[in-house]
Amino acid sequence: MKRSAFLMSALAFGYAFLYAPIVLLVTWSFNESRVANIWGGFSTKWYGELWDNSEFLDAAWLSLQVAATSATAALGLGTLAALALVRFGRFPGRGLFSGLLAAPLVMPEVILGLALLLLFVALEDLIGWPDGRGFSTIVIAHTTVGLAYATVVIRSRLAQMDRSLEEAAMDLGARPVKVFLVITLPVIAPSLAAAWLLAFTLSLDDVVVASFVTGPGASTLPIEVFSAVRLGVSPQVNALGSLIVAVVAVIIVTGWWLAGRRAR
């Protein structure tokens, strides 16, 4: 009985530690007062002001574009990299290739961002591209990071896949490309979706790497939020965070509902 009470208390404390800040964030987004820690009454005016804040809206749209583009590129490259590591056995340079893919997972983001910045500066001096830093440089940087995570997710699924299905299809005369499209892709589809969502989330949340490879007029949403909170937490930031929490909650509930229907 005491053990059960202790476990329930520890569980309650853990959930409170994780979710209490989110509840406070949502609560303060409806605060009338501009001062973050003084309650001035219920109001939704900060959501209206957020809608009129062109800097936040432009940054949010840029972040969504960058995240979708970099996640898609990371998914494609990560799939090819995972296939090379799982299906091609030992080939010359395999160790180096695997190490390069794993480097962004363990390398500090400051070092990675600085290295990419130096690369873009050197390329601009050498060939004139990129002409400044903006959308394309952020996409390349985020693809570099997302590629490592996507490769790990897809590689683990390919390694566990039963290859007898592919071998049976090829024995029946199917070409390798058709086997990959008809057999392999549907089997690893959940890992592809997970890899894309992981790369998308990492890109949408990144501050450190993006701050090195971005330039004037191309600030992502995390950079805009970070710049805003340095002068104090604005109620508009609370409103923005609450909207993101609501969108994520809707996605999770929808996925849970669809998974429940499929299980029946």
Side-chain angles (χ1 to χ4, degrees):
M1 187 68 180
K2 292 183 178 180
R3 183 180 178 182
S4 178
F6 173 77
L7 291 177
M8 292 300 296
S9 300
L11 182 63
F13 176 79
Y15 274 106
F17 182 80
L18 291 174
Y19 292 104
I22 299 177
V23 174
L24 290 175
L25 172 73
V26 176
T27 302
W28 287 113
S29 69
F30 296 102
N31 184 17
E32 174 74 23
S33 174
R34 184 176 293 273
V35 181
N37 56 351
I38 298 178
W39 183 257
F42 182 87
S43 175
T44 59
K45 69 176 184 179
W46 302 117
Y47 289 90
E49 293 194 11
L50 176 64
W51 181 256
D52 295 330
N53 192 326
S54 59
E55 293 182 356
F56 274 171
L57 295 180
D58 293 342
W61 176 238
L62 177 64
S63 292
L64 290 174
Q65 289 179 298
V66 169
T69 305
S70 61
T72 304
L75 177 63
L77 296 174
T79 303
L80 296 177
L83 285 171
L85 292 172
V86 174
R87 299 295 174 83
F88 289 88
R90 301 194 63 84
F91 53 86
R94 175 187 170 92
L96 177 61
F97 180 63
S98 181
L100 291 175
L101 286 173
L105 298 174
V106 296
M107 187 179 299
E109 289 187 335
V110 173
I111 303 301
L112 183 61
L114 180 59
L116 289 168
L117 172 62
L118 295 176
L119 172 64
F120 293 140
V121 171
L123 287 175
E124 187 175 3
D125 293 338
L126 185 63
I127 62 176
W129 181 91
D131 186 14
R133 288 173 293 281
F135 177 82
S136 59
T137 55
I138 304 174
V139 167
I140 294 173
H142 286 182
T143 301
T144 303
V145 178
L147 167 62
Y149 290 90
T151 302
V152 170
V153 175
I154 301 171
R155 180 182 179 182
S156 63
R157 182 66 186 94
L158 280 173
Q160 298 173 1
M161 179 179 172
D162 184 5
R163 297 196 61 181
S164 62
L165 298 174
E166 297 173 317
E167 294 171 355
M170 286 188 287
D171 289 341
L172 294 174
R175 295 180 178 274
V177 175
K178 186 174 183 179
V179 171
F180 178 76
L181 295 176
V182 177
I183 303 296
T184 308
L185 276 183
V187 172
I188 67 172
S191 64
L192 296 178
W196 190 90
L197 289 173
L198 180 59
F200 181 87
T201 304
L202 290 171
S203 174
L204 200 64
D205 185 57
D206 178 68
V207 177
V208 179
V209 175
S211 63
F212 280 95
V213 298
T214 190
S219 294
T220 59
L221 183 60
I223 294 178
E224 286 291 335
V225 172
F226 182 74
S227 301
V229 299
R230 285 190 300 177
L231 302 177
V233 180
S234 170
Q236 293 186 38
V237 175
N238 294 335
L240 176 64
S242 301
L243 291 176
I244 294 175
V245 170
V247 171
V248 172
V250 170
I251 294 174
I252 293 175
V253 171
T254 303
W256 173 78
W257 179 71
L258 292 175
R261 288 192 59 186
R262 183 176 298 180
R264 293 176 182 175

